[in-house]
Amino acid sequence: MANASQTQTEVYLFEQVIVLLSCALSFLGSSLIILTYIIWSDLRTTPRKLLVYLSVSDWLSAVSYAFGVWSVFRTNSAECVAQGAISTFANTSSFFWTVAIAVYLYVFIVRANQRVADSLVLVFHLVSWGIPLGITIAAVSLNKIGYDASEVSVGWCWVRINVKDRVLWMLLTGKIWEFLAYLTLPFLYILIKRHIHIAHAALSEYRPILANRPPAHSFSSMADVKLTLIPIIFILLRIWSTVRFILLLANSNVRQNPALVTLHGIGNTLQGAANCVMFVLFTQPIRTRLCAALTSCSQCRTEAEHPHRLLPEQDAPARREEDSAEGGRADR
């Protein structure tokens, strides 16, 4: 770390183009999540509302990162500080909302307590907006946000590279929450998947009856896929930022490798697009409605006339089957 303030990572034009494209995809993806929530009132479940709050953070991240990548700041200008503050707040908020959704689903599905899960929403707001805002205000007030020589960014501004306690502020303004998300998300989603699989096993004697309901099975399979992909995609996107941070601590020049810098840029900016793919394009009821709205395809219109109702997120037919299982056990 001794020489960190004396170096600078060069951001090449091809890296700018790729990362700006990633920002554009996240901007569009986050916007689509928000618009579908606004347009179709029957899709406004609490988990999808939490997803909208996450999408607001991802939208803000995409815009602020795009401005930073386009500008490739070289000094601690007012624009640099403003961009760094906005991206710091939005990025940290995104971590909190991602974990908040996992906590909600855990309480709702595993603990089977919707009342408690819904009561946590206010806490999620206080934590997911309040903590990032407090940290960002403190960092700006103490002149910690500014030009970082792209050592742990890709053109945008973050923690000033020349402050003595930069590692502490890098942790507070993002990295510590990133590390906690790496641990929390896989743990919670593994518990949720395990609970759903146990519920499925308990329904084995009813399979001949449920076999006549292929849509539910299809939804359940997709829910299982999503529960697997959510933590995996999050880690795959964010790990490159973590790797560059660790390399900075080790004062390794590998952090300046163009491929690693590009992956970092994509990972930090693509979360909104990834969420859109999973929760819009891979969610059949919403995909059907979008298809019907955007095309005159007769098949789309037919499907739109008989949509499968979207259950409380993660396409929760697993919860429906779980309820059936509990009812069956109660009857016995």
Side-chain angles (χ1 to χ4, degrees):
M1 284 294 292
N3 299 324
S5 61
Q6 303 173 6
T7 63
Q8 177 179 327
T9 299
E10 184 68 25
V11 179
Y12 298 101
L13 178 60
F14 79 90
E15 294 171 343
Q16 286 181 273
V17 172
I18 293 173
V19 178
L20 282 171
L21 177 60
S22 176
C23 290
L25 291 174
S26 260
F27 174 86
L28 293 174
S30 299
S31 298
L32 188 57
I33 290 174
I34 296 170
L35 286 174
T36 55
Y37 180 85
I38 293 173
I39 293 171
W40 292 306
S41 59
D42 59 315
L43 302 181
R44 296 174 191 169
T45 61
T46 300
R48 190 155 288 273
K49 184 184 298 184
L50 299 180
L51 179 62
V52 167
Y53 300 141
L54 170 60
S55 298
V56 170
S57 296
D58 290 335
W59 187 94
L60 197 57
S61 290
V63 172
S64 59
Y65 281 141
F67 180 69
V69 175
W70 177 268
S71 303
V72 187
F73 294 106
R74 305 284 183 181
T75 63
N76 289 309
S77 62
E79 292 84 359
C80 169
V81 174
Q83 180 273 311
I86 293 172
S87 61
T88 295
F89 166 76
N91 194 48
T92 307
S93 178
S94 179
F95 291 149
F96 279 101
W97 280 116
T98 301
V99 174
I101 292 173
V103 171
Y104 180 93
L105 293 175
Y106 171 79
V107 175
F108 183 85
I109 297 174
V110 179
R111 296 301 180 185
N113 196 326
Q114 183 176 358
R115 183 182 63 81
V116 172
D118 290 340
S119 70
L120 290 173
V121 174
L122 177 59
V123 177
F124 293 153
H125 277 290
L126 294 174
V127 172
S128 300
W129 299 126
I131 292 179
L133 182 61
I135 291 173
T136 302
I137 291 174
V140 172
S141 300
L142 296 172
N143 293 319
K144 304 299 182 181
I145 299 295
Y147 174 63
D148 75 342
S150 294
E151 291 292 81
V152 200
S153 71
V154 187
W156 58 76
C157 292
W158 187 31
V159 175
R160 297 191 185 203
I161 198 65
N162 58 355
V163 296
K164 293 182 179 180
D165 55 352
R166 56 185 170 271
V167 174
L168 172 63
W169 283 98
M170 286 178 180
L171 289 170
L172 288 175
T173 57
K175 291 306 169 188
I176 190 170
W177 315 115
E178 191 174 66
F179 293 143
L180 289 175
Y182 287 155
L183 299 175
T184 304
L185 291 176
F187 177 73
L188 289 175
Y189 281 114
I190 286 172
L191 291 179
I192 295 170
K193 279 172 61 68
R194 180 175 176 272
H195 181 81
I196 290 175
H197 289 166
I198 291 174
H200 283 186
L203 287 171
S204 59
E205 63 183 283
Y206 299 108
R207 291 302 178 193
I209 299 174
L210 296 176
N212 294 324
R213 300 175 64 186
H217 181 267
S218 175
F219 273 141
S220 184
S221 298
M222 181 55 69
D224 194 56
V225 170
K226 288 181 183 179
L227 290 172
T228 302
L229 288 179
I230 290 171
I232 291 176
I233 290 177
F234 178 85
I235 292 173
L236 286 178
L237 290 177
R238 296 291 182 172
I239 194 65
W240 312 109
S241 170
T242 303
V243 169
R244 287 194 72 206
F245 173 69
I246 294 173
L247 290 173
L248 178 68
L249 296 182
N251 198 26
S252 171
N253 290 332
V254 177
R255 70 181 182 274
Q256 299 175 334
N257 181 281
L260 184 57
V261 172
T262 302
L263 288 171
H264 176 189
I266 294 172
N268 265 47
T269 57
L270 199 62
Q271 188 67 54
N275 288 339
C276 179
V277 170
M278 282 192 292
F279 298 109
V280 175
L281 302 184
F282 281 3
T283 301
Q284 194 272 337
I286 299 180
R287 186 176 66 247
T288 298
R289 296 183 189 200
L290 285 174
C291 184
L294 297 175
T295 73
S296 58
C297 173
S298 59
Q299 179 181 355
C300 292
R301 286 202 302 269
T302 301
E303 290 182 4
E305 290 172 0
H306 306 285
H308 301 295
R309 182 165 181 81
L310 194 66
L311 294 172
E313 205 47 56
Q314 297 307 318
D315 302 318
R319 174 176 168 271
R320 182 172 61 216
E321 291 187 12
E322 176 190 342
D323 292 340
S324 298
E326 293 176 351
R329 289 194 294 271
D331 291 340
R332 290 197 295 271

